[in-house]
Amino acid sequence: MSATEELRADHVHVRRLEKIIFKCVEELEKGEKIPLSDITKMTIIISEFIDTIHHSREEDSYFPCVASHESLKEEIHKFLVEHEFGRRVARKISHHLKRLKNGEDAWENVTRYLKTYAVFLNDHLNKENKFFDDAEADVLTKEEEADMYEEYRSVFATVKKIEDMIKEIDFLESRPWNLK
């Protein structure tokens, strides 16, 4: 396996979460109730898997390696801006989720920011997948790919956290509101 393949594998699970969020939004817009614990799980996956693990892999290793070849720098800059946008939207979801937990009526805000985050994921992943194709085909060497992959897999706690986050996605996919 290569670093690019590992990041693509992450994207498969992020796409699963994207679909869950879109379904959650659809149900909320119909007036259905979604347990706050389920939305909390979504925010944890966003924070701990997408941002802390996946985006960190890209920002700390993959993007710098690609940029060291003087290639795709403009795309990398755009992705860094998009990652920050995603973080800001995620913070808004968490903020309004706390308001809900405190008894305030913030469902409209939570719904709106969840939808914004899901749209962001869809657009962002499409662009990154094209970027991965280009980087893999034209920029990165097999040795660089292998070295980054080994780096990704060398931190046992990260590998374990990814497994835990995938189980949380499995759980959310099985929720009654998501099966309607």
Side-chain angles (χ1 to χ4, degrees):
M1 191 168 225
S2 70
T4 302
E5 291 167 342
E6 182 79 358
L7 292 173
R8 279 193 188 106
D10 288 353
H11 279 192
V12 168
H13 299 297
V14 174
R15 283 273 187 220
R16 293 172 62 205
L17 180 64
E18 171 199 333
K19 289 177 184 167
I20 291 165
I21 295 171
F22 271 126
K23 181 63 175 171
C24 175
V25 167
E26 177 185 313
E27 293 301 309
L28 288 170
E29 288 176 338
K30 287 194 271 184
E32 298 293 326
K33 297 291 183 208
I34 305 295
L36 291 179
S37 60
D38 289 356
I39 297 173
T40 299
K41 283 185 188 297
M42 291 176 215
T43 64
I44 290 168
I45 295 166
I46 290 167
S47 173
E48 295 183 9
F49 175 56
I50 296 175
D51 193 36
T52 302
I53 295 172
H54 179 73
H55 286 168
S56 292
R57 286 176 169 178
E58 292 173 338
E59 293 172 4
D60 299 338
S61 178
Y62 198 84
F63 293 162
C65 188
V66 171
S68 72
H69 292 273
E70 300 298 319
S71 185
L72 303 172
K73 285 185 175 184
E74 185 175 322
E75 289 89 342
I76 291 168
H77 175 73
K78 289 177 185 174
F79 291 137
L80 295 173
V81 170
E82 289 181 12
H83 287 180
E84 185 54 35
F85 173 79
R87 288 179 185 110
R88 288 176 186 218
V89 174
R91 282 193 296 271
K92 289 291 191 179
I93 297 167
S94 294
H95 168 75
H96 292 294
L97 185 58
K98 284 179 190 166
R99 290 181 55 217
L100 281 174
K101 289 177 180 178
N102 289 332
E104 295 179 53
D105 181 13
W107 281 109
E108 183 180 332
N109 298 80
V110 168
T111 303
R112 182 175 60 243
Y113 284 111
L114 281 170
K115 187 174 194 173
T116 300
Y117 195 81
V119 169
F120 155 73
L121 284 179
N122 182 278
D123 179 64
H124 182 71
L125 293 174
N126 289 338
K127 291 186 279 189
E128 273 193 350
N129 285 335
K130 165 92 172 71
F131 173 85
F132 292 158
D133 291 344
D134 294 343
E136 187 177 44
D138 302 327
V139 180
L140 297 173
T141 67
K142 297 278 187 219
E143 293 78 23
E144 289 169 323
E145 288 270 18
D147 289 347
M148 284 187 289
Y149 174 74
E150 287 305 315
E151 179 185 325
Y152 297 162
R153 303 301 293 177
S154 69
V155 181
F156 178 76
T158 300
V159 173
K160 176 71 173 115
K161 180 55 89 175
I162 291 171
E163 291 171 1
D164 293 345
M165 293 293 99
I166 291 169
K167 288 177 185 170
E168 295 293 355
I169 293 170
D170 293 341
F171 173 81
L172 289 169
E173 283 177 330
S174 73
R175 300 296 287 149
W177 57 264
N178 195 38
L179 299 174
K180 288 183 183 180

XYZ file of all heavy atoms in Angstrom, residues 43-60 87 117 158 161-162:
198
model
N -19.670 14.853 15.392
C -18.674 15.908 15.653
C -17.362 15.319 16.151
O -16.296 15.843 15.834
C -19.195 16.970 16.640
O -19.435 16.368 17.910
C -20.457 17.650 16.117
N -17.433 14.230 16.891
C -16.208 13.562 17.354
C -15.446 12.975 16.166
O -14.224 13.105 16.073
C -16.540 12.487 18.408
C -17.001 13.164 19.702
C -15.339 11.576 18.661
C -17.615 12.210 20.716
N -16.168 12.348 15.251
C -15.523 11.786 14.061
C -14.899 12.903 13.233
O -13.773 12.757 12.732
C -16.527 10.958 13.227
C -16.991 9.730 14.031
C -15.903 10.528 11.896
C -18.215 9.048 13.455
N -15.605 14.010 13.089
C -15.052 15.153 12.346
C -13.763 15.622 12.999
O -12.748 15.809 12.339
C -16.086 16.300 12.258
C -17.245 15.913 11.333
C -15.415 17.592 11.793
C -18.449 16.844 11.421
N -13.799 15.788 14.297
C -12.639 16.318 15.019
C -11.484 15.322 15.087
O -10.345 15.653 14.759
C -13.066 16.726 16.427
O -11.944 17.084 17.187
N -11.786 14.109 15.519
C -10.719 13.151 15.807
C -10.228 12.392 14.587
O -9.049 12.038 14.520
C -11.166 12.177 16.894
C -11.396 12.876 18.222
C -11.780 11.932 19.342
O -11.718 10.690 19.156
O -12.158 12.437 20.411
N -11.109 12.124 13.646
C -10.674 11.373 12.462
C -10.342 12.308 11.301
O -9.213 12.319 10.814
C -11.727 10.346 12.048
C -11.388 9.612 10.767
C -10.196 8.919 10.645
C -12.257 9.624 9.696
C -9.869 8.244 9.464
C -11.950 8.952 8.518
C -10.756 8.267 8.405
N -11.315 13.104 10.876
C -11.087 13.922 9.690
C -10.003 14.962 9.951
O -9.041 15.074 9.180
C -12.395 14.586 9.211
C -13.390 13.511 8.764
C -12.105 15.577 8.071
C -14.755 14.037 8.382
N -10.131 15.717 11.022
C -9.182 16.805 11.246
C -7.879 16.328 11.868
O -6.807 16.504 11.302
C -9.821 17.908 12.095
C -8.993 19.175 12.097
O -8.390 19.499 11.050
O -8.921 19.828 13.141
N -7.965 15.703 13.030
C -6.747 15.352 13.771
C -5.900 14.314 13.047
O -4.677 14.414 13.047
C -7.103 14.857 15.184
O -7.835 15.885 15.850
C -5.859 14.521 15.981
N -6.518 13.340 12.408
C -5.734 12.291 11.750
C -5.577 12.570 10.255
O -4.468 12.752 9.759
C -6.352 10.898 11.991
C -6.282 10.557 13.487
C -5.622 9.833 11.153
C -7.019 9.288 13.882
N -6.687 12.595 9.532
C -6.601 12.675 8.067
C -5.976 13.987 7.598
O -5.009 13.970 6.834
C -7.981 12.461 7.438
C -7.948 12.553 5.950
N -7.392 11.562 5.169
C -8.371 13.523 5.108
C -7.486 11.923 3.898
N -8.080 13.106 3.839
N -6.528 15.101 8.026
C -5.967 16.377 7.574
C -4.529 16.559 8.054
O -3.710 17.141 7.335
C -6.842 17.548 8.017
C -8.115 17.659 7.242
N -9.144 18.476 7.623
C -8.544 17.062 6.105
C -10.145 18.376 6.764
N -9.800 17.509 5.830
N -4.216 16.056 9.228
C -2.831 16.147 9.711
C -1.884 15.349 8.828
O -0.772 15.797 8.545
C -2.727 15.657 11.153
O -3.384 16.544 12.011
N -2.307 14.168 8.400
C -1.475 13.391 7.478
C -1.192 14.188 6.204
O -0.063 14.205 5.708
C -2.159 12.077 7.102
C -2.161 11.045 8.185
C -2.947 9.834 7.738
N -2.764 8.727 8.652
C -3.377 7.555 8.524
N -4.208 7.343 7.524
N -3.149 6.595 9.388
N -2.233 14.802 5.697
C -2.059 15.588 4.474
C -1.167 16.799 4.723
O -0.209 17.050 3.982
C -3.424 16.043 3.938
C -4.270 14.910 3.420
C -5.673 15.332 3.047
O -6.168 16.377 3.533
O -6.285 14.601 2.261
N -1.481 17.563 5.761
C -0.789 18.829 6.005
C 0.648 18.657 6.489
O 1.518 19.456 6.147
C -1.578 19.659 7.026
C -2.905 20.122 6.500
C -3.785 20.768 7.560
O -3.332 20.936 8.707
O -4.940 21.101 7.230
N 0.901 17.626 7.289
C 2.222 17.465 7.897
C 3.170 16.603 7.074
O 4.382 16.667 7.279
C 2.095 16.860 9.300
C 1.289 17.744 10.244
O 1.180 18.955 9.982
O 0.752 17.208 11.226
N -12.735 23.309 9.493
C -12.574 23.428 10.952
C -13.524 24.479 11.522
O -14.109 24.279 12.589
C -11.136 23.806 11.292
C -10.148 22.697 11.079
C -8.721 23.138 11.408
N -7.817 22.064 11.075
C -6.952 22.086 10.066
N -6.827 23.160 9.314
N -6.180 21.043 9.826
N -21.281 21.513 6.204
C -20.122 20.633 6.331
C -20.203 19.479 5.330
O -19.204 19.122 4.697
C -19.986 20.091 7.763
C -18.620 19.498 7.992
C -17.534 20.314 8.287
C -18.399 18.138 7.860
C -16.261 19.779 8.464
C -17.134 17.599 8.040
C -16.070 18.425 8.336
O -14.814 17.889 8.490
N -2.717 5.945 16.504
C -3.466 6.500 15.375
C -4.215 5.393 14.641
O -5.387 5.546 14.296
C -2.525 7.247 14.416
O -1.895 8.308 15.132
C -3.273 7.808 13.217
N -7.114 4.466 16.743
C -8.145 5.517 16.718
C -8.949 5.441 15.426
O -10.173 5.598 15.439
C -7.491 6.891 16.883
C -8.469 8.054 16.863
C -9.580 7.934 17.877
C -9.234 8.531 19.184
N -10.385 8.510 20.119
N -8.291 5.192 14.303
C -9.003 5.053 13.027
C -9.979 3.884 13.108
O -11.139 4.006 12.697
C -8.020 4.893 11.853
C -7.266 6.198 11.618
C -8.758 4.466 10.581
C -6.118 6.093 10.626
